[in-house]
Amino acid sequence: MVASILLAAGLAGAAYWWLEQPLELAAPTVEVDVQPGQTPRQLAQALTDGGVRTRPVLLYQWFRWSGDARRIRAGSYEFERGITPAALLRKLVAGDETLARVRFIEGWTFRQMRAELNRSTDLRPESATMDDAALMAALGSPGRLPEGQFYPDTYTYSRGSSDLALLRRAHEAMRRRLAEAWAQRTEDHPIQTEQDLLVLASIVEKETGRAEDRGRVAAVFLNRLRLGMPLQTDPTVIYGLGERFDGNLRRIDLQTDTPFNTYTRTGLPPTPIAMPGAAALRAVMQPDRSRALYFVARGDGSSEFSDNLADHNRAVERYQRSGRQR
């Protein structure tokens, strides 16, 4: 009897010692994917196959004995040298995954955003075969075009996640930001719908070189809308040219009518031209107090604003002698 007790105590002590000893790894850092529905035995084998150098049966018995085997979460995990069997299990139960990141930049077009997604090899390309209509329907916005409908931000995701799930998060984030900005609208504001807010915010995003000018840029476009003046903004014309734009905007481009040519048409273009950030959305709803109707780039990222055409022409002469007047 005493011998049995001593043997059990010895085994328990050895087990406790093993649980707190660093595991040997095949490399300084190893990555292992835990699949949904994986059994403890399969997981133990996957860990050793992935570079955790110990006997699979030891990990398997530890998972079972701990009582936490059913709490292990699927995902992609990274283990570094020094990790113990006890810490390894805590990491698996906590779902402390290795997360990848993708960043969407303010002012990017939908095409640029999709290109960035395609470069993210850790994402499962579930939306790769979808056209724009199918994609927006899958995201719960059927009949809406995708341009401008996603919020620019940095998104983390588990490796092997669906790109459609990430797009859904970015779409929902834009809907929330849009609603927050729209809630600040006053009764006399010239913007009549949330979609129009999104369109103008995308223009403000593309036209703002310095953050401190954003409210005045928005004010110029809002003042023009109130007066029925064309917005006359180059980024919309460039967007309308699409892949035909070669980096040089010509006079003929400004004179050729398209739905996005704000020189030949008054009002807003039919869709956003890029992804606006929260600051651009706020600027449209809460612009600076200004009577300006014109602005021109100074060449340092900032803009010179003018209330009338004569002052604007003088600013153009000063800052863009060899350039073209906006």
Side-chain angles (χ1 to χ4, degrees), residues 32-38 43 46-47 72-77 79 92:
V32 178
D33 291 329
V34 178
Q35 303 299 325
Q38 206 165 33
L43 173 57
L47 287 165
I72 292 173
R73 303 183 186 183
S76 180
Y77 294 88
F79 305 105
L92 295 172

Side-chain angles (χ1 to χ4, degrees), residues 186-199:
T186 57
E187 290 186 4
D188 61 343
H189 202 285
I191 294 298
Q192 298 298 311
T193 68
E194 288 190 16
Q195 180 65 13
D196 285 349
L197 162 57
L198 192 59
V199 172

Side-chain angles (χ1 to χ4, degrees), residues 6-86:
L6 290 174
L7 178 60
L11 290 173
Y16 180 80
W17 177 86
W18 178 79
L19 290 176
E20 297 301 328
Q21 292 303 302
L23 289 162
E24 184 180 353
L25 303 181
T29 300
V30 299
E31 295 182 7
V32 178
D33 291 329
V34 178
Q35 303 299 325
Q38 206 165 33
T39 66
R41 189 183 298 277
Q42 291 170 332
L43 173 57
Q45 188 63 54
L47 287 165
T48 54
D49 290 346
V52 178
R53 290 181 171 171
T54 190
R55 294 171 60 194
V57 67
L58 294 178
L59 290 175
Y60 167 61
Q61 293 296 345
W62 162 224
F63 295 156
R64 290 190 60 200
W65 177 81
S66 71
D68 285 333
R70 293 181 180 274
R71 298 174 58 204
I72 292 173
R73 303 183 186 183
S76 180
Y77 294 88
E78 186 176 273
F79 305 105
E80 297 180 350
R81 281 181 179 165
I83 195 166
T84 66

Side-chain angles (χ1 to χ4, degrees), residues 175-184:
R175 291 172 68 170
R176 289 194 302 271
R177 294 286 189 170
L178 191 59
E180 290 169 3
W182 184 251
Q184 305 303 314

Side-chain angles (χ1 to χ4, degrees), residues 34 60 72 75 122 208 226 248 272 299 310:
V34 178
Y60 167 61
I72 292 173
D122 292 323
T208 302
R226 288 189 180 96
N248 183 22

Side-chain angles (χ1 to χ4, degrees), residues 224 232 234 251 263 293-299 302-326:
R224 283 181 165 248
Q232 295 183 313
D234 292 357
R251 184 177 297 276
Y263 286 83
L293 294 171
Y294 305 88
F295 62 93
V296 63
R298 292 188 178 121
S302 66
S303 296
E304 180 78 11
F305 296 85
S306 304
D307 294 354
N308 56 71
L309 183 58
D311 289 346
H312 175 64
N313 286 337
R314 282 190 286 271
V316 170
E317 178 67 16
R318 178 179 180 184
Y319 294 109
Q320 296 188 354
R321 290 179 183 274
S322 60
R324 179 186 47 77
Q325 168 183 325
R326 177 178 296 128

Side-chain angles (χ1 to χ4, degrees), residues 178 180-186 188-206 208 213-223 225-226 231 268 276-288:
L178 191 59
E180 290 169 3
W182 184 251
Q184 305 303 314
R185 180 180 180 273
T186 57
D188 61 343
H189 202 285
I191 294 298
Q192 298 298 311
T193 68
E194 288 190 16
Q195 180 65 13
D196 285 349
L197 162 57
L198 192 59
V199 172
L200 185 53
S202 73
I203 296 173
V204 171
E205 188 70 69
K206 296 294 287 186
T208 302
D213 287 343
R214 191 175 283 113
R216 296 184 73 184
V217 169
V220 167
F221 291 129
L222 290 168
N223 290 341
L225 287 174
R226 288 189 180 96
L231 298 184
L268 295 168
L281 291 167
R282 286 194 303 269
V284 172
M285 288 293 97
Q286 298 176 309
D288 289 0

